[in-house]
Amino acid sequence: MPDQPAIGQMLSDGERSFSFEFFPPKDAEGEEVLWRSIRELEPLRPTFVSVTYGAGGTTRHRTVGITRRIASETTMLPMAHLTCVGHTTDELAAIVAELREGGVHNVLALRGDPPGGPGTSWTSTPGGLEYAADLVAFLKDTAGLSVGVAAFPEGHRDAASLDHDAQVLKAKYDAGAEFAITEVVLRADDYFGLVQRAQAIGADFPIVPGIMPILNFHSMRTMVRLSGREMPQQTLDRILPLQDDPAALRAEGIRIATELCDELLDGGAPGLHFYTLNRSKATREIFAALKIAV
């Protein structure tokens, strides 16, 4: 199988990127939902799609299998997530070999959440790597992959300050990262502030904002709190009055996400990365509202 395009190069060349993220399902029913969503989103011709990696490497084989299948059975360009958690460098090298053998040449390098979950203490793996920047350097030195990393519009929950968070991003850039994808953006100003902080210290690479519409208020707020943040008041003012009307809340969530996408693109974001939760309908609705040509 020929080498696939490098996402980092595509973004650096100025190609506006629209991408989707999936996660490995836990059972056969989830697998069916995932592949139906993949087929429904394929006609939108995303720049790439990514497949996440479970805490502690728990979905390693499913992540590799799904990413390789996307490479061989669809027209979409896949990127596999890879974490430091629970792996030695020998194990990481074996995973990379599996990916490359399956035609996957793009990786998102992450430290990953501690096995105990966000906010718990980090436990090193003997023979493994400590930081995402170490994983980036390992992948660039040993595999010649196109490597992206995570970025945090409001700072990582463990960062001492926004400046410290920017320094961590710069370390990933210095290690060879070619682009970054943010966790879910809640306010456009947070994203643009991140870009400015990164550029000010020399981490001048494309940073793609992450998008997730509010379809269920309580699940969205829980996810946001796990990342050490709170929902913006201007969003709460629009969503809370609709808590007892799921259809109206969902429609407003789509509107809020569409407005955010417009603001991000108008402000110069290099693209959008949609966290799909393995469902396609909301993403397709936002695409239609944005009038993105496919």
Side-chain angles (χ1 to χ4, degrees):
M1 181 179 294
D3 285 359
Q4 295 190 329
I7 294 170
Q9 187 62 54
M10 295 164 69
L11 290 169
S12 294
D13 288 344
E15 178 174 336
R16 193 164 71 164
S17 171
F18 298 101
S19 52
F20 308 135
E21 183 164 300
F22 306 109
F23 64 86
K26 296 179 180 179
D27 52 33
E29 182 180 358
E31 186 98 4
E32 183 178 339
V33 170
L34 167 65
W35 284 99
R36 183 167 60 247
S37 295
I38 287 174
R39 294 302 184 187
E40 289 170 346
L41 289 169
E42 188 173 9
L44 298 181
R45 295 163 53 189
T47 310
F48 64 92
V49 297
S50 69
V51 182
T52 66
Y53 206 70
T58 53
T59 64
R60 163 187 169 174
H61 296 294
R62 289 198 295 274
T63 297
V64 172
I66 292 167
T67 311
R68 288 178 53 155
R69 186 176 166 189
I70 290 172
S72 62
E73 297 182 17
T74 78
T75 60
M76 300 189 290
L77 175 65
M79 175 176 70
H81 291 212
L82 189 58
T83 70
C84 300
V85 181
H87 289 312
T88 66
T89 54
D90 286 345
E91 289 171 337
L92 290 168
I95 296 168
V96 170
E98 285 185 76
L99 291 169
R100 288 183 61 89
E101 182 186 0
V104 179
H105 301 277
N106 294 277
V107 170
L108 194 73
L110 309 161
R111 189 198 72 169
D113 289 330
T120 63
S121 59
W122 171 257
T123 302
S124 301
T125 300
L129 301 171
E130 191 77 6
Y131 301 109
D134 300 330
L135 180 55
V136 172
F138 173 80
L139 293 171
K140 299 299 289 188
D141 291 343
T142 63
L145 299 170
S146 179
V147 181
V149 293
F152 304 90
E154 298 175 65
H156 189 277
R157 62 170 299 143
D158 296 334
S161 66
L162 290 178
D163 288 339
H164 173 251
D165 184 75
Q167 291 292 340
V168 172
L169 186 60
K170 176 65 158 52
K172 300 177 196 179
Y173 172 83
D174 290 341
E178 300 162 36
F179 63 98
I181 297 174
T182 78
E183 67 178 349
V184 174
V185 174
L186 303 176
R187 288 173 294 247
D189 286 349
D190 295 329
Y191 166 78
F192 293 123
L194 165 67
V195 172
Q196 291 169 359
R197 290 190 299 276
Q199 290 178 343
I201 60 172
D204 192 15
F205 58 175
I207 300 177
V208 181
I211 302 296
M212 183 188 291
I214 302 169
L215 306 178
N216 178 293
F217 173 69
H218 295 291
S219 61
M220 183 71 164
R221 183 162 63 177
T222 297
M223 184 209 70
V224 169
R225 286 178 170 173
L226 281 173
S227 65
R229 302 181 292 166
E230 290 291 340
M231 297 288 290
Q233 188 60 49
Q234 60 264 40
T235 302
L236 293 175
D237 289 344
R238 295 174 63 172
I239 290 295
L240 287 177
L242 306 174
Q243 283 191 90
D244 297 327
D245 188 341
L249 188 150
R250 184 187 184 282
E252 187 66 13
I254 295 291
R255 277 191 290 273
I256 291 170
T258 302
E259 292 166 12
L260 176 60
C261 290
D262 275 329
E263 190 174 354
L264 291 166
L265 293 174
D266 289 346
L272 302 167
H273 185 71
F274 291 89
Y275 294 98
T276 69
L277 299 181
N278 289 4
R279 306 281 178 170
S280 70
K281 186 177 180 182
T283 300
R284 288 185 283 122
E285 289 175 12
I286 295 170
F287 258 58
L290 291 171
K291 299 180 175 57
I292 297 171
V294 297

